[in-house]
Amino acid sequence: MGKSLVSLASLSLLTFFCTISLPLYSNAISQCNGPCGTLDDCDGQLICINGKCNDDPDLGTHICKGGEGGGGGNCQPSGTLTCQGNSYPTYKCSPPVTSSTQARLTNNDFSAGGDGGGPSECDGQYHDNSKPIVALSTGWYSGGSRCGKMIRITANNGRSVLAQVVDECDSMRGCDEEHAGQPPCDNNIVDGSDAVWSALGLDKEIGIVDVTWSMS
């Protein structure tokens, strides 16, 4: 009888501690670059990207300096790449994404054999240039987290267009077959298809135009 009471008391005590301990573990919150499995594992506005808590590209937050969610406010070159006797800066980051992000619009051929080089990074496919699609500089591409998402591009003439992100405008590598021999992109490029230029009423022969963009 005495042993039964002791055993019962021990079991009750163990249950009590387990009840207290388990919620503490399940409610553990990770900070910047901390491990995560779901959105609930990350603190505040951070989201889970590739198993780590980081800034949400859609919100344009920059809580995590140098994280995968985009570039910090002071984006400096990470190195240089020499191509055909010329030296080009390389970037892992891009300027912060805002509701009106300053950018340079360039023209890209997303079809097979075009000046875009290899297939798109997002899906490994070539694309029809009659569709409004874009490639974003490495920092804005954010490790592919913006693949398939829509952005709104606005020209200085007031016209705007919605375009889908399908590729990366590589700011780290270039001057090879994969990149059609072209040097690395600057860190502030929106590389648009013919359809993007047409919708904005711009002449693609200009080559490069100042625009703004935001997540749609």
Side-chain angles (χ1 to χ4, degrees):
M1 188 75 174
K3 290 183 179 180
S4 298
L5 288 174
V6 171
S7 298
L8 184 60
S10 299
L11 182 61
S12 299
L13 191 61
L14 180 62
T15 303
F16 174 76
F17 280 115
C18 287
T19 303
I20 293 178
S21 300
L22 286 175
L24 292 175
Y25 175 79
S26 62
N27 288 336
I29 299 297
S30 290
Q31 306 296 321
C32 287
N33 297 312
C36 60
T38 69
L39 291 176
D40 294 334
D41 296 334
C42 299
D43 186 35
Q45 294 180 307
L46 302 181
I47 63 171
C48 190
I49 301 177
N50 297 329
K52 291 184 177 181
C53 292
N54 226 307
D55 291 299
D56 186 343
D58 289 346
L59 295 179
T61 57
H62 298 281
I63 301 166
C64 302
K65 300 297 183 182
E68 297 175 78
N74 185 25
C75 179
Q76 299 297 321
S78 60
T80 58
L81 180 66
T82 301
C83 178
Q84 298 176 352
N86 296 315
S87 183
Y88 298 91
T90 57
Y91 295 90
K92 293 180 180 178
C93 57
S94 291
V97 176
T98 67
S99 60
S100 184
T101 312
Q102 299 287 332
R104 310 297 302 281
L105 177 68
T106 53
N107 181 240
N108 186 50
D109 184 352
F110 291 88
S111 64
D115 62 16
S120 297
E121 285 291 325
C122 288
D123 57 11
Q125 303 292 320
Y126 291 101
H127 292 269
D128 186 346
N129 292 303
S130 65
K131 297 180 179 179
I133 50 179
V134 297
L136 296 178
S137 291
T138 294
W140 289 337
Y141 180 71
S142 190
S145 66
R146 289 194 169 95
C147 282
K149 296 186 177 180
M150 305 298 291
I151 67 171
R152 180 173 294 280
I153 307 165
T154 303
N156 290 334
N157 60 14
R159 296 179 68 167
S160 66
V161 61
L162 285 176
Q164 186 178 42
V165 178
V166 300
D167 203 0
E168 174 186 15
C169 193
D170 202 332
S171 305
M172 287 295 296
R173 300 172 299 139
C175 307
D176 53 17
E177 184 178 353
E178 181 185 351
H179 298 86
Q182 298 190 61
C185 287
D186 285 334
N187 68 342
N188 61 343
I189 297 297
V190 173
D191 207 14
S193 62
D194 290 354
V196 169
W197 283 74
S198 178
L200 293 174
L202 300 173
D203 180 4
K204 68 178 184 179
E205 298 303 322
I206 296 174
I208 188 164
V209 176
D210 289 332
V211 294
T212 59
W213 72 275
S214 63
M215 297 303 301
S216 175

